[in-house]
Amino acid sequence: MSDDDGRGDDGRGSGVRTALVIGGGVAGPVTALALRRAGITATVHEAYPTAADGVGAWLGLAPNGQAALATVGADAAVRAIGEPVPGMVMADGAGHHHARFGGFPELPATLTLPRDRLYRALTDRAGAEGIRFAYGKRLVAAEETPDGVTAHFADHTSATADILIGADGIRSTVRTVIDPQAPAPEYGGVLSFGGYADVGSDAGVEPGTMYFAFGRAFMGYWQGADGRLIWFAGLPTDTPPSPSDLARVPAAEWLSRLRDLYAGHVPGERLLRHTGPDELMVVGRMERMPSVPHWYRGRMVLVGDSVHAPSSSSGQGASLAVESAVELARCLRDLPTHGEAFAAYEALRRPRVEAIGHTAAAVNEVKAGKRDAAAPSFAGPEDMLRPLHFHRIDWEEKVRAGRG
């Protein structure tokens, strides 16, 4: 893979040569890798003191996300640690199956993996490509000059580059620097939990299939490589505790509340009975980003969950973040100024990510008990997934101002 596939006399259409990437989760390393391919040198600044380990629950990386990772050469590293789950069954809480989908035969299977393992794989891949990571760098402010932008960190250090990219997640500091009136994350009415259930040899599931059981309460589950069932579920509440209050509640208490809620649910009651407090993952509030009015200002721009987190109900959060990282790099490669590049990037991405986010918001209402899980919720998984999973970004195609 060439280090510099950019356009123009100097190989960089926008004239951008250096970038500060704020955030080292999913979007950050991929953005840096994509920028490197576009001929731009990026340094990733992460608030935590080390690469994230033990952070978050499981997630899915859909075929479209894997295709975008292939653009930056990171797909093999993720396939090596992900568990393929190509199939899907839509069911209700009484155990009735309403729809079944075996996956698209021409596409790779969706991969499931713990979030922290994905972080580590992407960080290691970026590091192998020579991308530098600076840890313990919590952004507190940023200021622009005619020639660049300077980031100021809580440890009283600073860094300067041509542009600054906010890949700092759903509680993005960069988002509020760009627009102090930017919206905050929107709570979806549900506290999210996950866990592992060892139900023995009679698991009652098909390997490689993810089950979604709607009804009075929602639960998703599949069989992991070790034979245990991995599940995720919601606890509806209109008054969610703060993150600090959430952490103070013992796991056994949360498990007791979940068992009460899922009494009579198929298979939730059984899965929770076979889950111990040490096997419970308290994920926290299910949130999404509403429409963000300003994706960029001056030399600063947002990518990933900082601007379009669709909530876990979409199954697309990580995949959309990877796609946006690649599209941003293409635009900076091809367009004559960073301003035109940012505008084209937003035009390319906003319709897709907001449509997916709106659909996820409707699913959140079902999970929160504010909307019935009517028949359309169970119909046509193939039609529902096709525009998501088949989306592809052509790296070689030149971006033109205002459109891809």
PDB file of all heavy atoms in Angstrom, residues 300-312:
ATOM      1  N   MET A 300     -11.291  22.422  12.293  1.00  0.00           N
ATOM      2  CA  MET A 300     -11.689  21.319  13.169  1.00  0.00           C
ATOM      3  C   MET A 300     -12.902  20.600  12.590  1.00  0.00           C
ATOM      4  O   MET A 300     -13.822  21.230  12.059  1.00  0.00           O
ATOM      5  CB  MET A 300     -11.999  21.846  14.571  1.00  0.00           C
ATOM      6  CG  MET A 300     -10.779  22.437  15.271  1.00  0.00           C
ATOM      7  SD  MET A 300     -11.161  23.078  16.928  1.00  0.00           S
ATOM      8  CE  MET A 300     -12.057  24.578  16.500  1.00  0.00           C
ATOM      9  N   VAL A 301     -12.915  19.263  12.723  1.00  0.00           N
ATOM     10  CA  VAL A 301     -13.988  18.454  12.154  1.00  0.00           C
ATOM     11  C   VAL A 301     -14.215  17.234  13.045  1.00  0.00           C
ATOM     12  O   VAL A 301     -13.314  16.816  13.785  1.00  0.00           O
ATOM     13  CB  VAL A 301     -13.628  18.022  10.706  1.00  0.00           C
ATOM     14  CG1 VAL A 301     -12.408  17.102  10.691  1.00  0.00           C
ATOM     15  CG2 VAL A 301     -14.809  17.390   9.991  1.00  0.00           C
ATOM     16  N   LEU A 302     -15.425  16.688  12.994  1.00  0.00           N
ATOM     17  CA  LEU A 302     -15.802  15.535  13.822  1.00  0.00           C
ATOM     18  C   LEU A 302     -15.913  14.273  12.983  1.00  0.00           C
ATOM     19  O   LEU A 302     -16.274  14.326  11.804  1.00  0.00           O
ATOM     20  CB  LEU A 302     -17.150  15.803  14.489  1.00  0.00           C
ATOM     21  CG  LEU A 302     -17.222  17.017  15.412  1.00  0.00           C
ATOM     22  CD1 LEU A 302     -18.664  17.322  15.782  1.00  0.00           C
ATOM     23  CD2 LEU A 302     -16.382  16.781  16.666  1.00  0.00           C
ATOM     24  N   VAL A 303     -15.657  13.131  13.632  1.00  0.00           N
ATOM     25  CA  VAL A 303     -15.773  11.842  12.955  1.00  0.00           C
ATOM     26  C   VAL A 303     -16.255  10.798  13.959  1.00  0.00           C
ATOM     27  O   VAL A 303     -16.007  10.912  15.161  1.00  0.00           O
ATOM     28  CB  VAL A 303     -14.407  11.428  12.336  1.00  0.00           C
ATOM     29  CG1 VAL A 303     -13.407  11.081  13.413  1.00  0.00           C
ATOM     30  CG2 VAL A 303     -14.553  10.277  11.351  1.00  0.00           C
ATOM     31  N   GLY A 304     -16.990   9.801  13.488  1.00  0.00           N
ATOM     32  CA  GLY A 304     -17.428   8.709  14.347  1.00  0.00           C
ATOM     33  C   GLY A 304     -18.495   9.107  15.345  1.00  0.00           C
ATOM     34  O   GLY A 304     -19.341   9.972  15.081  1.00  0.00           O
ATOM     35  N   ASP A 305     -18.462   8.466  16.530  1.00  0.00           N
ATOM     36  CA  ASP A 305     -19.509   8.695  17.524  1.00  0.00           C
ATOM     37  C   ASP A 305     -19.603  10.136  18.002  1.00  0.00           C
ATOM     38  O   ASP A 305     -20.640  10.544  18.525  1.00  0.00           O
ATOM     39  CB  ASP A 305     -19.267   7.796  18.746  1.00  0.00           C
ATOM     40  CG  ASP A 305     -19.726   6.365  18.523  1.00  0.00           C
ATOM     41  OD1 ASP A 305     -20.270   6.072  17.444  1.00  0.00           O
ATOM     42  OD2 ASP A 305     -19.526   5.524  19.431  1.00  0.00           O
ATOM     43  N   SER A 306     -18.559  10.918  17.847  1.00  0.00           N
ATOM     44  CA  SER A 306     -18.614  12.314  18.272  1.00  0.00           C
ATOM     45  C   SER A 306     -19.671  13.100  17.508  1.00  0.00           C
ATOM     46  O   SER A 306     -20.171  14.105  18.003  1.00  0.00           O
ATOM     47  CB  SER A 306     -17.244  12.980  18.093  1.00  0.00           C
ATOM     48  OG  SER A 306     -16.923  13.119  16.722  1.00  0.00           O
ATOM     49  N   VAL A 307     -20.041  12.601  16.323  1.00  0.00           N
ATOM     50  CA  VAL A 307     -20.992  13.344  15.490  1.00  0.00           C
ATOM     51  C   VAL A 307     -22.186  12.504  15.054  1.00  0.00           C
ATOM     52  O   VAL A 307     -23.240  13.056  14.751  1.00  0.00           O
ATOM     53  CB  VAL A 307     -20.273  13.937  14.251  1.00  0.00           C
ATOM     54  CG1 VAL A 307     -19.838  12.865  13.275  1.00  0.00           C
ATOM     55  CG2 VAL A 307     -21.121  14.993  13.563  1.00  0.00           C
ATOM     56  N   HIS A 308     -22.070  11.178  15.050  1.00  0.00           N
ATOM     57  CA  HIS A 308     -23.211  10.388  14.557  1.00  0.00           C
ATOM     58  C   HIS A 308     -23.345   9.030  15.246  1.00  0.00           C
ATOM     59  O   HIS A 308     -23.627   8.020  14.596  1.00  0.00           O
ATOM     60  CB  HIS A 308     -23.155  10.220  13.040  1.00  0.00           C
ATOM     61  CG  HIS A 308     -21.892   9.596  12.499  1.00  0.00           C
ATOM     62  ND1 HIS A 308     -21.465   8.339  12.847  1.00  0.00           N
ATOM     63  CD2 HIS A 308     -20.969  10.069  11.613  1.00  0.00           C
ATOM     64  CE1 HIS A 308     -20.347   8.051  12.194  1.00  0.00           C
ATOM     65  NE2 HIS A 308     -20.012   9.091  11.447  1.00  0.00           N
ATOM     66  N   ALA A 309     -23.211   8.972  16.569  1.00  0.00           N
ATOM     67  CA  ALA A 309     -23.423   7.705  17.282  1.00  0.00           C
ATOM     68  C   ALA A 309     -24.881   7.272  17.128  1.00  0.00           C
ATOM     69  O   ALA A 309     -25.785   7.979  17.566  1.00  0.00           O
ATOM     70  CB  ALA A 309     -23.074   7.878  18.761  1.00  0.00           C
ATOM     71  N   PRO A 310     -25.142   6.110  16.520  1.00  0.00           N
ATOM     72  CA  PRO A 310     -26.527   5.723  16.255  1.00  0.00           C
ATOM     73  C   PRO A 310     -27.166   4.863  17.337  1.00  0.00           C
ATOM     74  O   PRO A 310     -28.305   4.446  17.179  1.00  0.00           O
ATOM     75  CB  PRO A 310     -26.389   4.902  14.966  1.00  0.00           C
ATOM     76  CG  PRO A 310     -25.061   4.236  15.109  1.00  0.00           C
ATOM     77  CD  PRO A 310     -24.179   5.193  15.890  1.00  0.00           C
ATOM     78  N   SER A 311     -26.483   4.559  18.414  1.00  0.00           N
ATOM     79  CA  SER A 311     -26.855   3.656  19.501  1.00  0.00           C
ATOM     80  C   SER A 311     -26.628   2.220  19.067  1.00  0.00           C
ATOM     81  O   SER A 311     -26.644   1.884  17.880  1.00  0.00           O
ATOM     82  CB  SER A 311     -28.290   3.858  20.017  1.00  0.00           C
ATOM     83  OG  SER A 311     -29.187   2.945  19.444  1.00  0.00           O
ATOM     84  N   SER A 312     -26.470   1.363  20.073  1.00  0.00           N
ATOM     85  CA  SER A 312     -26.159  -0.033  19.782  1.00  0.00           C
ATOM     86  C   SER A 312     -27.296  -0.751  19.077  1.00  0.00           C
ATOM     87  O   SER A 312     -27.086  -1.804  18.473  1.00  0.00           O
ATOM     88  CB  SER A 312     -25.818  -0.759  21.083  1.00  0.00           C
ATOM     89  OG  SER A 312     -26.889  -0.672  22.005  1.00  0.00           O
TER      90      SER A 312
END
